[in-house]
Amino acid sequence: MKKKSGRGCFGAPLADLPREDSGVPMPVAFLFRHVLSDGVVTYNGLFGAPGEEGQVKKLRAGLEDGGYDGGLELSAFKPEAICTLLLAFFKELPEPLVGGLYASFMQAAKHPKEDLQVAELKALLRQLPETNRLLIVYTATCFHAVLQHEDKNNVTKRMLAQVFAHALIAGPEPQENIRDKVKLIVLLIDHHSDIAAAVGAPGTRKAG
């Protein structure tokens, strides 16, 4: 594992966070690993409701103190709290995951054919810093894994895309272009394997 000094993870630049061997920031991989674990990934209502305030505060404090290195026992927390903090991580990034390419990503959603949209997504992802690129594709891959249990967790592709749209694809007007953002996230989920191979991103190894 690649580690850097320092602890706090919420609101920290991606470049300052410790990363797994895959290049994915450790806090995100730690949380997703639990979400994709047996008994959690099938939880009815996953990503559907915010976590209890007390649990969210306690879990957040543990993560800020570096508990994502394995010292924090996530089974003590309800799935809602874990999902709430996954979303919070992305929302609180100091710089957008798509960097200065927001307008280009929005334009990619407007191509008339899906294959052109996917090709443009690949080209844009290659232009992003490595950690940003890896994190976007890793997140889409994890979403795809969650959706394999839709019959039990009642999580739909569109729901996930809507919940994370403004956090994953943030622009100068944070609440704008929801339809195009949802379209892009759906494309990332549907074509996660092909996109990962094209841009040099790893898979989830089921959960990490």
Side-chain angles (χ1 to χ4, degrees):
M1 294 182 180
K2 301 176 183 178
K3 295 188 177 182
K4 290 191 176 185
S5 60
R7 285 295 183 179
C9 58
F10 292 95
L14 287 178
D16 291 349
L17 293 173
R19 296 184 295 279
E20 302 228 319
D21 292 339
S22 64
V24 175
M26 286 178 65
V28 178
F30 179 63
L31 293 174
F32 265 128
R33 187 175 291 116
H34 185 73
V35 167
L36 296 182
S37 65
D38 294 339
V40 179
V41 72
T42 55
Y43 183 83
N44 188 2
L46 200 65
F47 291 105
E52 296 174 5
E53 183 178 359
Q55 282 222 330
V56 171
K57 285 184 177 180
K58 184 176 180 180
L59 177 54
R60 184 185 180 106
L63 292 168
E64 288 282 60
D65 196 40
Y68 50 78
D69 63 4
L72 189 61
E73 182 50 68
L74 290 181
S75 62
F77 299 90
K78 293 182 179 180
E80 291 93 342
I82 294 166
C83 293
T84 294
L85 285 172
L86 262 174
L87 179 59
F89 175 87
F90 289 106
K91 281 185 172 180
E92 297 178 28
L93 286 173
E95 298 292 336
L97 266 181
V98 296
L101 298 176
Y102 175 77
S104 297
F105 273 89
M106 291 299 96
Q107 189 60 40
K110 301 184 188 303
H111 282 302
K113 295 183 178 180
E114 184 170 308
D115 59 340
L116 294 176
Q117 295 167 357
V118 174
E120 186 65 16
L121 269 179
K122 292 175 183 177
L124 291 170
L125 287 167
R126 291 190 191 101
Q127 296 178 51
L128 293 176
E130 181 183 46
T131 303
N132 298 51
R133 177 173 69 252
L134 295 176
L135 182 53
I136 290 172
V137 179
Y138 175 82
T139 300
T141 303
C142 288
F143 285 168
H144 182 268
V146 167
L147 291 167
Q148 303 313 296
H149 304 274
E150 181 180 348
D151 59 325
K152 294 181 180 178
N153 59 32
N154 287 315
V155 176
T156 68
K157 192 185 306 179
R158 184 157 295 275
M159 184 201 89
L160 268 181
Q162 289 175 334
V163 168
F164 280 85
H166 296 309
L168 289 179
I169 308 177
E173 299 294 336
Q175 302 304 313
E176 294 290 324
N177 298 315
I178 180 66
R179 290 181 63 183
D180 288 340
K181 292 176 181 179
V182 167
K183 180 189 290 186
L184 290 176
I185 293 174
V186 167
L187 284 171
L188 285 165
I189 295 171
D190 285 346
H191 300 274
H192 68 97
S193 183
D194 180 39
I195 290 173
V199 304
T204 61
R205 293 178 299 173
K206 182 180 178 182

